[in-house]
mmCIF file of all heavy atoms in Angstrom:
data_model
loop_
_atom_site.group_PDB
_atom_site.id
_atom_site.type_symbol
_atom_site.label_atom_id
_atom_site.label_comp_id
_atom_site.label_asym_id
_atom_site.label_seq_id
_atom_site.Cartn_x
_atom_site.Cartn_y
_atom_site.Cartn_z
ATOM 1 N N LYS A 1 -2.920 1.062 0.024
ATOM 2 C CA LYS A 1 -2.571 0.345 -1.205
ATOM 3 C C LYS A 1 -1.633 1.179 -2.079
ATOM 4 O O LYS A 1 -0.889 0.647 -2.893
ATOM 5 C CB LYS A 1 -3.839 -0.003 -1.995
ATOM 6 C CG LYS A 1 -4.713 -1.049 -1.317
ATOM 7 C CD LYS A 1 -5.950 -1.336 -2.151
ATOM 8 C CE LYS A 1 -6.828 -2.382 -1.479
ATOM 9 N NZ LYS A 1 -8.065 -2.638 -2.257
ATOM 10 N N ARG A 2 -1.695 2.479 -1.893
ATOM 11 C CA ARG A 2 -0.828 3.379 -2.668
ATOM 12 C C ARG A 2 0.557 3.445 -2.015
ATOM 13 O O ARG A 2 0.689 3.767 -0.843
ATOM 14 C CB ARG A 2 -1.449 4.770 -2.725
ATOM 15 C CG ARG A 2 -0.641 5.783 -3.519
ATOM 16 C CD ARG A 2 -1.335 7.132 -3.457
ATOM 17 N NE ARG A 2 -0.521 8.183 -4.050
ATOM 18 C CZ ARG A 2 -0.464 9.420 -3.578
ATOM 19 N NH1 ARG A 2 -1.157 9.754 -2.493
ATOM 20 N NH2 ARG A 2 0.287 10.324 -4.166
ATOM 21 N N ARG A 3 1.568 3.131 -2.798
ATOM 22 C CA ARG A 3 2.948 3.190 -2.319
ATOM 23 C C ARG A 3 3.754 4.035 -3.294
ATOM 24 O O ARG A 3 3.483 4.024 -4.489
ATOM 25 C CB ARG A 3 3.537 1.790 -2.172
ATOM 26 C CG ARG A 3 2.689 0.945 -1.219
ATOM 27 C CD ARG A 3 3.278 -0.362 -0.885
ATOM 28 N NE ARG A 3 2.407 -1.094 0.028
ATOM 29 C CZ ARG A 3 2.823 -1.815 1.050
ATOM 30 N NH1 ARG A 3 4.118 -1.909 1.305
ATOM 31 N NH2 ARG A 3 1.982 -2.445 1.838
ATOM 32 N N MET A 4 4.741 4.728 -2.750
ATOM 33 C CA MET A 4 5.456 5.704 -3.577
ATOM 34 C C MET A 4 6.966 5.517 -3.494
ATOM 35 O O MET A 4 7.481 4.912 -2.556
ATOM 36 C CB MET A 4 5.076 7.113 -3.134
ATOM 37 C CG MET A 4 3.604 7.441 -3.316
ATOM 38 S SD MET A 4 3.165 9.114 -2.763
ATOM 39 C CE MET A 4 3.318 8.936 -0.985
ATOM 40 N N VAL A 5 7.637 6.046 -4.501
ATOM 41 C CA VAL A 5 9.099 6.093 -4.546
ATOM 42 C C VAL A 5 9.508 7.522 -4.859
ATOM 43 O O VAL A 5 8.920 8.160 -5.746
ATOM 44 C CB VAL A 5 9.665 5.142 -5.625
ATOM 45 C CG1 VAL A 5 11.174 5.348 -5.776
ATOM 46 C CG2 VAL A 5 9.363 3.697 -5.277
ATOM 47 N N TYR A 6 10.478 8.037 -4.131
ATOM 48 C CA TYR A 6 11.035 9.350 -4.438
ATOM 49 C C TYR A 6 12.217 9.142 -5.365
ATOM 50 O O TYR A 6 13.245 8.577 -4.976
ATOM 51 C CB TYR A 6 11.480 10.062 -3.157
ATOM 52 C CG TYR A 6 11.989 11.464 -3.404
ATOM 53 C CD1 TYR A 6 11.098 12.521 -3.611
ATOM 54 C CD2 TYR A 6 13.357 11.737 -3.433
ATOM 55 C CE1 TYR A 6 11.559 13.814 -3.846
ATOM 56 C CE2 TYR A 6 13.820 13.025 -3.660
ATOM 57 C CZ TYR A 6 12.919 14.059 -3.860
ATOM 58 O OH TYR A 6 13.379 15.334 -4.085
ATOM 59 N N VAL A 7 12.064 9.584 -6.594
ATOM 60 C CA VAL A 7 13.110 9.411 -7.598
ATOM 61 C C VAL A 7 12.981 10.534 -8.616
ATOM 62 O O VAL A 7 11.868 10.997 -8.910
ATOM 63 C CB VAL A 7 13.009 8.024 -8.277
ATOM 64 C CG1 VAL A 7 11.723 7.864 -9.067
ATOM 65 C CG2 VAL A 7 14.220 7.749 -9.155
ATOM 66 N N GLY A 8 14.109 11.011 -9.124
ATOM 67 C CA GLY A 8 14.065 12.110 -10.069
ATOM 68 C C GLY A 8 13.527 13.383 -9.461
ATOM 69 O O GLY A 8 12.913 14.207 -10.153
ATOM 70 N N GLY A 9 13.733 13.547 -8.128
ATOM 71 C CA GLY A 9 13.306 14.765 -7.444
ATOM 72 C C GLY A 9 11.831 14.867 -7.176
ATOM 73 O O GLY A 9 11.331 15.932 -6.786
ATOM 74 N N LYS A 10 11.066 13.752 -7.334
ATOM 75 C CA LYS A 10 9.622 13.784 -7.104
ATOM 76 C C LYS A 10 9.148 12.491 -6.441
ATOM 77 O O LYS A 10 9.761 11.432 -6.611
ATOM 78 C CB LYS A 10 8.861 13.937 -8.430
ATOM 79 C CG LYS A 10 9.043 15.263 -9.128
ATOM 80 C CD LYS A 10 8.206 15.291 -10.409
ATOM 81 C CE LYS A 10 8.373 16.617 -11.138
ATOM 82 N NZ LYS A 10 7.568 16.645 -12.399
ATOM 83 N N LEU A 11 8.039 12.604 -5.715
ATOM 84 C CA LEU A 11 7.338 11.409 -5.240
ATOM 85 C C LEU A 11 6.499 10.863 -6.384
ATOM 86 O O LEU A 11 5.701 11.597 -6.986
ATOM 87 C CB LEU A 11 6.429 11.743 -4.061
ATOM 88 C CG LEU A 11 7.061 11.758 -2.670
ATOM 89 C CD1 LEU A 11 6.038 12.194 -1.626
ATOM 90 C CD2 LEU A 11 7.649 10.399 -2.309
ATOM 91 N N ARG A 12 6.666 9.572 -6.672
ATOM 92 C CA ARG A 12 5.947 8.949 -7.783
ATOM 93 C C ARG A 12 5.270 7.675 -7.280
ATOM 94 O O ARG A 12 5.868 6.904 -6.539
ATOM 95 C CB ARG A 12 6.918 8.643 -8.927
ATOM 96 C CG ARG A 12 7.696 9.880 -9.400
ATOM 97 C CD ARG A 12 8.807 9.514 -10.358
ATOM 98 N NE ARG A 12 9.703 10.631 -10.593
ATOM 99 C CZ ARG A 12 9.558 11.542 -11.558
ATOM 100 N NH1 ARG A 12 8.518 11.446 -12.392
ATOM 101 N NH2 ARG A 12 10.419 12.531 -11.700
ATOM 102 N N THR A 13 4.028 7.477 -7.714
ATOM 103 C CA THR A 13 3.250 6.333 -7.246
ATOM 104 C C THR A 13 3.676 5.060 -7.968
ATOM 105 O O THR A 13 3.814 5.046 -9.198
ATOM 106 C CB THR A 13 1.747 6.583 -7.476
ATOM 107 O OG1 THR A 13 1.363 7.746 -6.742
ATOM 108 C CG2 THR A 13 0.921 5.396 -7.006
ATOM 109 N N VAL A 14 3.872 4.004 -7.204
ATOM 110 C CA VAL A 14 4.227 2.702 -7.771
ATOM 111 C C VAL A 14 2.981 2.094 -8.412
ATOM 112 O O VAL A 14 1.923 2.042 -7.775
ATOM 113 C CB VAL A 14 4.769 1.762 -6.672
ATOM 114 C CG1 VAL A 14 5.041 0.365 -7.231
ATOM 115 C CG2 VAL A 14 6.036 2.348 -6.059
ATOM 116 N N PRO A 15 3.055 1.643 -9.648
ATOM 117 C CA PRO A 15 1.877 1.051 -10.296
ATOM 118 C C PRO A 15 1.344 -0.145 -9.505
ATOM 119 O O PRO A 15 2.102 -1.017 -9.100
ATOM 120 C CB PRO A 15 2.404 0.610 -11.662
ATOM 121 C CG PRO A 15 3.631 1.424 -11.893
ATOM 122 C CD PRO A 15 4.222 1.661 -10.546
ATOM 123 N N ALA A 16 0.039 -0.164 -9.298
ATOM 124 C CA ALA A 16 -0.577 -1.258 -8.549
ATOM 125 C C ALA A 16 -1.326 -2.212 -9.459
ATOM 126 O O ALA A 16 -1.858 -3.226 -9.008
ATOM 127 C CB ALA A 16 -1.534 -0.691 -7.498
ATOM 128 N N GLY A 17 -1.390 -1.914 -10.742
ATOM 129 C CA GLY A 17 -2.107 -2.770 -11.684
ATOM 130 C C GLY A 17 -1.921 -2.259 -13.097
ATOM 131 O O GLY A 17 -1.288 -1.222 -13.320
ATOM 132 N N PRO A 18 -2.485 -2.964 -14.089
ATOM 133 C CA PRO A 18 -2.301 -2.586 -15.499
ATOM 134 C C PRO A 18 -2.726 -1.156 -15.801
ATOM 135 O O PRO A 18 -2.046 -0.438 -16.531
ATOM 136 C CB PRO A 18 -3.172 -3.596 -16.253
ATOM 137 C CG PRO A 18 -3.271 -4.771 -15.334
ATOM 138 C CD PRO A 18 -3.259 -4.207 -13.948
ATOM 139 N N GLY A 19 -3.833 -0.711 -15.207
ATOM 140 C CA GLY A 19 -4.313 0.639 -15.475
ATOM 141 C C GLY A 19 -3.342 1.697 -14.992
ATOM 142 O O GLY A 19 -2.987 2.625 -15.741
ATOM 143 N N SER A 20 -2.899 1.579 -13.755
ATOM 144 C CA SER A 20 -1.969 2.568 -13.209
ATOM 145 C C SER A 20 -0.597 2.444 -13.851
ATOM 146 O O SER A 20 0.169 3.411 -13.904
ATOM 147 C CB SER A 20 -1.863 2.416 -11.692
ATOM 148 O OG SER A 20 -1.449 1.105 -11.341
ATOM 149 N N PHE A 21 -0.271 1.261 -14.365
ATOM 150 C CA PHE A 21 0.998 1.068 -15.059
ATOM 151 C C PHE A 21 1.060 1.955 -16.297
ATOM 152 O O PHE A 21 2.097 2.521 -16.634
ATOM 153 C CB PHE A 21 1.158 -0.403 -15.446
ATOM 154 C CG PHE A 21 2.357 -0.693 -16.293
ATOM 155 C CD1 PHE A 21 3.614 -0.811 -15.727
ATOM 156 C CD2 PHE A 21 2.238 -0.850 -17.669
ATOM 157 C CE1 PHE A 21 4.734 -1.073 -16.517
ATOM 158 C CE2 PHE A 21 3.334 -1.110 -18.461
ATOM 159 C CZ PHE A 21 4.593 -1.224 -17.877
ATOM 160 N N LEU A 22 -0.069 2.112 -16.971
ATOM 161 C CA LEU A 22 -0.093 2.913 -18.190
ATOM 162 C C LEU A 22 0.059 4.401 -17.894
ATOM 163 O O LEU A 22 0.612 5.148 -18.706
ATOM 164 C CB LEU A 22 -1.408 2.674 -18.944
ATOM 165 C CG LEU A 22 -1.605 1.267 -19.526
ATOM 166 C CD1 LEU A 22 -3.014 1.120 -20.081
ATOM 167 C CD2 LEU A 22 -0.566 0.984 -20.611
ATOM 168 N N THR A 23 -0.416 4.844 -16.728
ATOM 169 C CA THR A 23 -0.433 6.275 -16.443
ATOM 170 C C THR A 23 0.679 6.729 -15.501
ATOM 171 O O THR A 23 0.882 7.922 -15.327
ATOM 172 C CB THR A 23 -1.779 6.662 -15.808
ATOM 173 O OG1 THR A 23 -1.979 5.911 -14.597
ATOM 174 C CG2 THR A 23 -2.931 6.370 -16.760
ATOM 175 N N THR A 24 1.417 5.809 -14.908
ATOM 176 C CA THR A 24 2.431 6.196 -13.927
ATOM 177 C C THR A 24 3.525 7.056 -14.536
ATOM 178 O O THR A 24 3.902 6.880 -15.704
ATOM 179 C CB THR A 24 3.070 4.953 -13.274
ATOM 180 O OG1 THR A 24 4.011 5.394 -12.288
ATOM 181 C CG2 THR A 24 3.821 4.111 -14.289
ATOM 182 N N ASN A 25 4.050 7.988 -13.727
ATOM 183 C CA ASN A 25 5.212 8.773 -14.159
ATOM 184 C C ASN A 25 6.492 8.232 -13.532
ATOM 185 O O ASN A 25 7.536 8.879 -13.602
ATOM 186 C CB ASN A 25 5.036 10.253 -13.806
ATOM 187 C CG ASN A 25 4.975 10.482 -12.297
ATOM 188 O OD1 ASN A 25 4.951 9.544 -11.504
ATOM 189 N ND2 ASN A 25 4.948 11.741 -11.892
#
């Protein structure tokens, strides 16, 4: 369920819901 994007020189987790949307980098 966890999917990531490499951007800005880092792997970053794609928000999967409202909670993770608030904490995502």
Side-chain angles (χ1 to χ4, degrees):
K1 291 180 180 178
R2 181 182 172 217
R3 302 187 180 220
M4 297 179 289
V5 173
Y6 184 78
V7 64
K10 293 181 180 179
L11 275 176
R12 305 170 192 270
T13 300
V14 176
S20 57
F21 174 80
L22 293 173
T23 59
T24 182
N25 64 354

